Amino acid sequence: MTRPDAAPGEGSGRPYPVAVVGLACRLPGAADPGAFWRLLRAGADAVGEVPADRWGADGTVRHGAFLDDVGDFDADFFGVSPREAAAMDPQQRLMLELAWEAVEDAGTTPTALAGTAAGVFVGAIWDDYAHLTYRGGAERITAHTVTGLHRSILANRISYLFDLRGPSLAVDTGQSSSLVAVHLACESLRNGESRVALAGGVNLNLVRESAVGAERFGGLSPDGRCFTFDARANGYVRGEGGALVLLKPLADAVAAGDRIYCVIDGSAVGNDGATEGLTVPGREGQQQVLAAAYRRAGVDPTEVQYVELHGTGTRVGDPVEAAALGAVVGRGRGDAGPVRVGSAKTNVGHLEAAAGIVGLVKLALCVRHRELPPSLHFASPNPDIPLDELGLAVQRELTGWPRPDRPLRGGVSSFGMGGTTCHVVVRDAPTEDVAEATGDGWTSWVLSAKTEPALRAYARRLGAWLAGQEDVAPAVVADALARRTRFAHRAVVTAAGGDEFAAALAALADGRPHPLAVTGVAADRVTAFCFTGQGSQY
């Protein structure tokens, strides 16, 4: 119930916090959250030339951050016919894959969520695949075209295939869409309409026209880089991909013993109102949203250590964002030091509808790993951004958090071109909130897939992941794998160390026998235990 004197959107005091318990992403140069974290830590830049299978280097828009093989999709895995899959926007296909991965990353399965009040909130703004479809004329239109192209189905198809009964909606607030989707998901959890929620966004750049439109709008950098807060700032470079988080009330996550990436204490959404132009950002509106987010979270802004910026690297937008941020979190910091700031757009480009969720995933990983990676392409500050006066400092190298002995508090900002602004307040989970499996000695890893080739591919991916880890607790991996969906084709690897697991997984991937691995096809029957007394003759 809202207080009679509460300001719009304030709610009834501090809301209970929300836990981020599952992550999934597919980004340029990073096929999953682990790869994204390695890219961030290394200070890598995934921007390159436009691939030939899109529209190639046409002299107008030559740079971007792109995914490989956006047309790939295992339709049979999701029970989708080949004809329907061909009619589906690749953004729908990607969201299905990410939803499955986020659910499994949270230590549960789609089957366990079936029939429950699980919400789905997906930010999206472009319809490139619809343009490609309609170019082919009326003969390209089939019985599956409407559902294949309709933006609402980005969320609804997940709810349908997973049998989720909570709210299911696509969100379009421009470039802030995916972070607004997170805000709406948190509100749905807080008012009890959802028990768990998937939230995020997607953005695929499939046609030349959308790229040319961004260039003629004046948003793109002719250098093909995002120079966030830098004196060279002259626009952004487009990126593509998608990400989803699985959210639960913190109390439920703790009770279930879930791994918690980070905790969302509060968020706020607003609009700049009447500024100097429809797409000109307003400092006052941004400042109000920032202040409301920290007020709702019950957090003193001086406790904030890091903010993931909207940070597009535009001449107008960067100074406005810096001024508003400095006014709210940069003031009165005393011995706390400046707020560190950075932008993932310098690594993977501006994912537009999915930009906000990329920022949240980055911050969740920063909290989880207790490190802050560098923000790229910063040499000297924009002359209109007096960083020292504003109490801000661009994160230029890989470091720990400034005050690791304090709660790791951060924020994420995302702005739409029409003025809709969102800010989410994040912190680390108390150590007692985090439960993980431990143990030494022999451990079994269980793998399963729908087909034998898929099982081999699964073993290869798991082996590749293992090769990139410096220190793996086999029991933690075993616990995570045991929680995943069980399909008919199965393998069990029993080993005591990483080298042994790696060797057995390599053998599975190649279809070779290995003494530590067992494979088989599960029978579709009920398991029974017989206690026959003397036993052996049975």
Side-chain angles (χ1 to χ4, degrees):
M1 181 177 294
T2 303
R3 303 188 311 272
D5 60 340
E10 281 298 298
S12 54
R14 182 179 180 180
Y16 64 80
V18 169
V20 177
V21 297
L23 296 181
C25 66
R26 196 90 80 252
L27 302 172
D32 53 56
F36 184 38
W37 180 243
R38 292 192 293 274
L39 180 146
L40 291 169
R41 288 189 87 249
D45 186 346
V47 173
E49 296 283 333
V50 177
D53 62 352
R54 301 303 174 90
W55 59 89
D58 64 355
T60 303
V61 180
R62 298 188 302 109
H63 297 95
F66 294 89
L67 299 179
D68 297 327
D69 303 320
V70 292
D72 288 355
F73 179 63
D74 189 348
D76 184 62
F77 181 88
F78 291 101
V80 177
S81 73
R83 289 184 178 179
E84 185 169 12
M88 287 168 59
D89 187 333
Q91 294 183 133
Q92 287 188 29
R93 306 175 204 162
L94 180 55
M95 281 291 98
L96 282 177
E97 293 170 348
L98 293 175
W100 188 282
E101 292 169 14
V103 169
E104 287 205 330
D105 187 62
T108 185
T109 65
T111 302
L113 296 180
T116 68
V120 183
F121 304 79
V122 177
I125 64 176
W126 297 117
D127 303 299
D128 284 14
Y129 198 66
H131 291 294
L132 286 172
T133 299
Y134 295 141
R135 279 182 193 172
E139 60 270 20
R140 289 282 301 275
I141 299 174
T142 72
H144 302 298
T145 298
V146 171
T147 53
L149 302 180
H150 205 284
R151 207 180 296 169
S152 66
I153 305 298
L154 287 166
N156 299 163
R157 195 181 291 274
I158 296 171
S159 299
Y160 168 71
L161 287 176
F162 292 3
D163 190 21
L164 309 182
R165 308 295 176 83
S168 181
L169 57 141
V171 179
D172 184 353
T173 61
Q175 290 75 6
S176 59
S177 296
S178 59
L179 202 62
V180 171
V182 172
H183 166 82
L184 294 175
C186 290
E187 293 301 297
S188 184
L189 291 168
R190 287 166 179 149
N191 65 29
E193 114 188 308
S194 296
R195 294 295 302 274
V196 299
L198 284 161
V202 64
N203 196 71
L204 294 180
N205 305 323
L206 304 178
V207 297
R208 176 178 180 269
E209 288 83 351
S210 63
V212 172
E215 191 272 335
R216 294 182 181 173
F217 172 69
L220 299 189
S221 165
D223 300 305
R225 294 294 183 274
C226 289
F227 296 108
T228 301
F229 278 25
D230 191 86
R232 296 167 292 171
N234 57 4
Y236 61 87
V237 60
R238 300 183 82 207
E240 68 175 8
L244 282 173
V245 294
L246 185 71
L247 307 172
K248 296 173 71 171
L250 178 60
D252 291 353
V254 172
D258 292 331
R259 172 191 55 192
I260 300 170
Y261 285 97
C262 65
V263 176
I264 297 174
D265 274 329
S267 58
V269 172
N271 194 277
D272 292 347
T275 60
E276 295 179 7
L278 174 62
T279 62
V280 177
R283 169 182 167 175
E284 184 178 350
Q286 291 184 16
Q287 194 169 317
Q288 289 174 346
V289 168
L290 288 163
Y294 289 103
R295 186 166 58 249
R296 295 191 70 189
V299 171
D300 183 343
T302 62
E303 296 177 10
V304 176
Q305 300 189 46
Y306 176 82
V307 170
E308 177 65 15
L309 302 166
H310 181 62
T312 52
T314 57
R315 292 190 178 97
V316 175
D318 281 7
V320 171
E321 179 174 10
L325 192 61
V328 176
V329 303
R331 288 180 173 175
R333 298 188 62 83
D335 297 335
V339 179
R340 307 289 180 89
V341 298
S343 174
K345 293 177 179 65
T346 64
N347 302 94
V348 295
H350 186 354
L351 268 73
E352 298 168 344
I357 190 64
V358 171
L360 179 60
V361 170
K362 174 185 171 180
L363 184 53
L365 293 170
C366 289
V367 168
R368 181 71 180 170
H369 294 283
R370 303 185 72 83
E371 290 182 323
L372 297 176
S375 191
L376 308 184
H377 312 312
F378 181 84
S380 59
N382 185 318
D384 295 324
I385 302 178
L387 291 171
D388 292 341
E389 293 179 22
L390 295 172
L392 309 176
V394 175
Q395 180 71 16
R396 303 179 66 175
E397 59 186 358
L398 177 67
T399 70
W401 284 67
R403 292 178 289 168
D405 57 322
R406 305 289 299 276
L408 305 186
R409 297 194 184 277
V412 185
S413 289
S414 193
F415 309 149
M417 66 179 181
T420 298
T421 299
C422 183
H423 191 78
V424 172
V425 182
V426 167
R427 65 171 165 91
D428 57 337
T431 53
E432 61 266 28
D433 291 348
V434 181
E436 288 190 344
T438 59
D440 299 317
W442 290 83
T443 306
S444 294
W445 290 4
V446 181
L447 291 72
S448 72
K450 287 192 173 183
T451 66
E452 191 272 336
L455 183 65
R456 290 169 59 181
Y458 188 6
R460 184 171 291 107
R461 288 197 305 273
L462 184 58
W465 171 84
L466 180 61
Q469 306 302 307
E470 296 180 358
D471 185 21
V472 173
V476 174
V477 180
D479 180 66
L481 292 174
R483 295 169 185 253
R484 296 190 169 184
T485 304
R486 299 183 183 92
F487 296 113
H489 291 263
R490 300 182 186 178
V492 178
V493 177
T494 303
D499 291 342
E500 295 172 331
F501 278 111
L505 290 170
L508 284 174
D510 294 337
R512 296 181 284 107
H514 192 278
L516 299 181
V518 181
T519 61
V521 180
D524 186 16
R525 60 174 68 102
V526 176
T527 300
F529 294 91
C530 293
F531 300 91
T532 60
Q534 295 180 356
S536 61
Q537 65 268 36
Y538 179 81

